Structure formats: C-alpha cells, structure tokens
Amino acid sequence: MTQPTQYGFYVDTTKCTGCKACHVSCKDRQADLIRGNQNPMNGGVPSLKGVTWRRVYEYGGGSCTMNPATKVFENNVFAYYMSIGCNHCSEPVCVKACPTGAMHKRREDGLVHVAEDLCIGCESCARACPYDAPQIDRERKVMTKCDGCYERLAAGKKPTCVESCPLRALDFDRMDVLEEKYGKGDGHIAPLPSEGITSPNLIIKANRNGQPAGSGAGKVLNPSEV
C-alpha cells in the first residue's frame, strides 16, 4: 500500500540568528489571506494582534559565579534561537481534540488545515497542541494556523518563511526528501516538548548549546507578541 505524502520542516538552530525574518514574512502572508476573507458582519479586516503562526524563541539560561580560590569568574551561560510553527504532525492532537472535524489532515500532502465553515471557535485544538500552532482569530471567531503555504507549494515554491530566511536555516519538503538531505536530525531541544506527544514532521539540527526537550535548564527570553 502506498504511503500518503507527508511534508514537513527542517530547522538548523546552528544557523538561526533570531532575526525573525521568517516570523515577519509569515505575518505578511497571514494578513493578505485574511484581508481576502473579510468578516461580512462589519466589512473590516480582522485583528491579527497576537496571532503568530511562526514564532522565533530565544532560549537561554545558566549562571556566572566567581571561583573563590582563583578569583576568576566562571560561567555556563547559554542561549540559542528556535523558529517554530506548525509541525503538521503525523498524530496531530489538535485534530483529535476538534469536536466538529474542522481541524483535519490532508491526505494529499499531510498538511493540517482548518475548515473555517465547520469551526466553532471552541479552542479545543489550541488547548491540546503543545506547539501553540492553532490560534484563534477573535473577530471572526475561528481558529487559524500555519497551512504550509499550500498555494505556494502547488506552484512549486517553498513556504514564505523558508524563502525569507537569510541564513537558510529553514527548509520544507516531503519528509523523505528532507531525511535524504539532512538525515533524521538531533531530535527536539528545549523549549520544545517531547516528540512522542504528536509525532511531529520536523527535523532539527541542534545548536551546540541545545538543552534536552522539556528541560528546565533555561527559559524563553523573548516570546513573540507581534
């Protein structure tokens, strides 16, 4: 039996500088999409504040202390960036949590989408997702999320976040193609949760300072609020 096609992301955290070009380009596309689907009740453009499909987190921690014997300061301070959106998981808990079937996984490409005509805005998917991928548009009262730039994919292009990255820290393709190029990766690192929750389609090259997924060794220093 032929396996369904599955697309996913690759993130090289050794290259990411936290510039947020991916975050901003995603916001631009998001605004264009929603402007093309205005709320007929007020004829206006829905508020996008706080709705961020791709986010860039700075994760850091450690401490600096003086060695009393040598009077030399020693430290184990670390910091690195993590760009994250929807991982279009193989076992998406958002789909399982949705009571109406609005949140669904497309067989043709494995992308997780929202059928807005079925969405009741209950936010069950958002509460279930450990990656904060589904986010509600409060003016239209529907859930929104990264859709893998499916219209660009159909035109043979990469998602806008990938093409906007100046360091080429992101890639997007069929998972078999990504694995052939990059291997299986290093697994999840903090601030991401364990991969075992949703089987995400995400390959990560870990920063040398990368802390284990779920680690409490550091904290998110700059949550994206745009």
Side-chain angles (χ1 to χ4, degrees), residues 99-187:
T100 67
M103 193 71 70
H104 63 284
K105 190 171 178 66
R106 297 174 12 141
R107 184 173 179 81
E108 62 266 35
D109 49 26
L111 300 178
V112 177
H113 278 205
V114 183
E116 293 188 354
D117 58 329
L118 297 177
C119 180
I120 58 175
C122 68
E123 300 187 67
S124 294
C125 55
R127 287 189 291 272
C129 177
Y131 300 102
D132 194 30
Q135 299 173 19
I136 192 165
D137 180 329
R138 297 199 178 280
E139 290 195 23
R140 293 188 299 149
K141 297 180 175 60
V142 295
M143 299 308 295
T144 69
K145 63 180 294 299
C146 160
D147 57 16
C149 286
Y150 66 97
E151 83 290 356
R152 294 176 61 85
L153 187 63
K157 299 178 181 180
K158 299 280 187 180
T160 184
C161 60
V162 173
E163 291 197 347
S164 67
C165 179
L167 275 298
R168 298 297 180 257
L170 295 174
D171 201 356
F172 180 85
D173 214 318
R174 296 197 324 265
M175 287 302 292
D176 60 317
V177 174
L178 292 179
E179 289 180 7
E180 185 176 348
K181 289 172 67 176
Y182 306 112
K184 297 286 188 178
D186 299 315

Side-chain angles (χ1 to χ4, degrees), residues 27-71:
K27 285 289 290 186
D28 284 345
R29 175 178 174 273
Q30 175 196 85
D32 288 342
L33 283 177
I34 295 181
R35 287 190 186 104
N37 187 19
Q38 293 181 356
N39 186 338
M41 297 299 293
N42 58 25
V45 178
S47 172
L48 298 174
K49 182 175 175 59
V51 179
T52 51
W53 294 345
R54 178 159 289 276
R55 301 163 301 286
V56 180
Y57 295 125
E58 181 180 0
Y59 189 78
S63 61
C64 182
T65 58
M66 186 178 71
N67 186 317
T70 63
K71 305 299 183 183

